[in-house]
Amino acid sequence: MRKSYEAGRKGQRVSEKHLTYADSGVDITEEEKTVKTLIDKLSYVRKGIGAPLTGIGHYAGLLDFGEYALALTTDGVGSKVLIANEMQRWNTVGIDCIAMNVNDLLAIGAEPVAFVDYLALEKHEEGFAAQIGEGLLKGAEISRMSIVGGETATLPDIIKGFDLAGTCLGFLKKENIIEGGKVQVGDMIVGIPSTGVHSNGYTLVRKIMEKSGYSYHDPCPYDGSKTIGDDLLEPTRIYIEILDVLKECEVHGLAHITGSGLLKLRRVTKLGFDFYDPLEPQEIFKFLQKEGGVDNLEMYRTFNMGMGFLIILPEKDAAKAAEITGGKIVGRIVESGIRVKDLVIE
């Protein structure tokens, strides 16, 4: 029987320490410093065709291509692959790899057209590549794009297990670029559900699991029909229906909610976000929060918490966007701050 997860395993003492992403080894603040240091060194820019149309730091990089802009993203699956190894099931991480790239393209209004992958291996195992390919194929089909190449590297001195990443190419007309400059106070926010944890925050997820006393192979305490590992391997949702919203609605801003949770909204606008009616987080988030003793603020600064993608648009189009995507109106744009009900994120 499915039920809400309210407590840890019977007799299990939940950690008194409130775990954070930084405790698990990923300090978002330090990561941002590293990224800024790297970007500061990237001063050369091409002129003419291929010249950058935006600075580094948005969801996708845009290049001048006549009346069109070409859009590029690159991303990987991250430490979620370690759970795939534990479960000996690799047929979903290819979907994750494509989703993380495609969703970033969609967040600037671009349509994906092509993908290349990079698979780094410690060693080759029978059946492994077929499962990776199965997920990549599924992700490409959902995204309506071609996989046109890639690279496989055997690196036993560097890689323990495997790593999977990729790069995605998209395009859009220049006048249709959505960077967030049109976002204004009073715009509505439509939240689209995630399929769970997606592909971010897994360093913290794994630390919580280590301390919980649970195994990835144990049945979920909130749904005995699947294991905890199965739920954590649920692939990232690909929000390709955003392209339909762009055809039907006046969209001012788009956001793919990934690592660092709602803090990523600063990529879209410096205005504020008031989530007065957020989507309900899936049970997996409640389980992780309880077992790790993670406070609400840290959860929303690390995970998508049930909202994997956001659309910002005028009130007149909000209901239509919600209908197209299966989402709902979760809030509005305000002058400043990021708030989820009474919780101040920033």
Side-chain angles (χ1 to χ4, degrees):
M1 178 181 295
R2 187 176 182 86
K3 59 183 184 297
S4 176
Y5 180 77
E6 297 295 345
R9 173 177 289 181
K10 187 176 181 180
Q12 176 79 23
R13 184 181 180 187
V14 177
S15 172
E16 294 178 357
K17 175 176 172 54
H18 292 285
L19 282 178
T20 66
Y21 207 7
D23 291 333
S24 68
V26 180
D27 189 317
I28 293 171
T29 302
E30 290 301 315
E31 187 175 278
E32 288 176 349
K33 289 180 182 177
T34 298
V35 171
K36 184 180 185 304
T37 299
L38 179 60
I39 290 173
D40 287 345
K41 295 295 182 181
L42 307 179
S43 58
Y44 175 79
V45 293
R46 178 186 170 92
K47 306 297 183 182
I49 291 294
L53 296 174
T54 56
I56 298 173
H58 211 288
Y59 284 101
L62 293 176
L63 306 176
D64 189 345
F65 205 72
E67 73 175 292
Y68 290 93
L70 297 182
L72 284 171
T73 59
T74 188
D75 207 344
V77 182
S79 64
K80 187 174 185 176
V81 300
L82 297 175
I83 299 177
N85 283 339
E86 173 64 29
M87 300 298 291
Q88 292 290 287
R89 181 159 69 83
W90 304 284
N91 63 339
T92 60
V93 291
I95 302 174
D96 289 305
C97 186
I98 285 181
M100 295 304 292
N101 283 279
V102 167
N103 289 341
D104 278 359
L105 280 184
L106 294 169
I108 207 162
E111 178 178 352
V113 292
F115 188 84
V116 292
D117 66 272
Y118 175 73
L119 176 62
L121 298 163
E122 179 183 6
K123 60 182 179 180
H124 296 268
E125 296 185 42
E126 187 70 28
F128 170 79
Q131 289 196 38
I132 295 293
E134 179 184 336
L136 289 171
L137 173 62
K138 182 66 174 177
E141 289 175 341
I142 296 170
S143 305
R144 305 196 289 266
M145 68 176 183
S146 305
I147 297 177
V148 296
E151 173 70 9
T152 299
T154 307
L155 303 169
D157 294 330
I158 299 174
I159 298 293
K160 301 305 176 186
F162 77 101
D163 188 27
L164 179 63
T167 297
C168 197
L169 173 69
F171 79 103
L172 72 166
K173 287 192 172 182
K174 287 178 180 175
E175 64 263 29
N176 295 332
I177 295 171
I178 298 176
E179 294 183 86
K182 294 182 180 179
V183 174
Q184 55 189 323
V185 172
D187 279 350
M188 306 306 291
I189 308 167
V190 172
I192 314 175
S194 66
T195 51
V197 184
H198 281 182
S199 296
N200 300 101
Y202 276 81
T203 303
L204 178 55
V205 167
R206 291 184 297 105
K207 181 66 69 174
I208 291 170
M209 287 297 295
E210 287 174 11
K211 294 180 176 296
S212 72
Y214 282 95
S215 160
Y216 293 111
H217 302 277
D218 286 337
C220 292
Y222 46 86
D223 184 354
S225 68
K226 58 184 176 181
T227 68
I228 297 169
D230 289 333
D231 210 1
L232 289 171
L233 285 180
E234 185 69 30
T236 306
R237 178 172 172 176
I238 297 173
Y239 295 95
I240 198 67
E241 62 270 32
I242 291 299
L243 296 177
D244 298 323
V245 175
L246 293 172
K247 293 175 184 176
E248 299 287 335
C249 305
E250 178 189 338
V251 176
H252 290 172
L254 297 163
H256 178 205
I257 308 304
T258 58
S260 71
L262 295 180
L263 294 179
K264 281 283 171 67
L265 296 176
R266 286 291 166 248
R267 289 183 172 187
V268 179
T269 180
K270 298 301 182 184
L271 293 173
F273 295 76
D274 178 14
F275 294 96
Y276 56 78
D277 189 21
L279 294 173
E280 180 73 13
Q282 290 90 345
E283 296 295 329
I284 186 64
F285 292 111
K286 300 173 186 178
F287 167 78
L288 293 170
Q289 182 170 19
K290 184 71 175 181
E291 289 301 318
V294 185
D295 65 32
N296 285 330
L297 180 59
E298 187 70 13
M299 292 295 290
Y300 277 98
R301 289 168 63 99
T302 304
F303 301 111
N304 67 66
M305 294 301 282
M307 294 190 297
F309 207 98
L310 301 176
I311 308 169
I312 305 165
L313 70 179
E315 185 174 5
K316 65 181 178 64
D317 285 334
K320 182 184 292 185
E323 180 182 359
I324 292 172
T325 60
K328 76 167 189 175
I329 297 171
V330 294
R332 65 170 61 87
I333 298 298
V334 293
E335 290 287 352
S336 62
I338 302 174
R339 181 183 297 273
V340 180
K341 291 188 175 179
D342 295 327
L343 182 66
V344 178
I345 308 299
E346 184 186 81

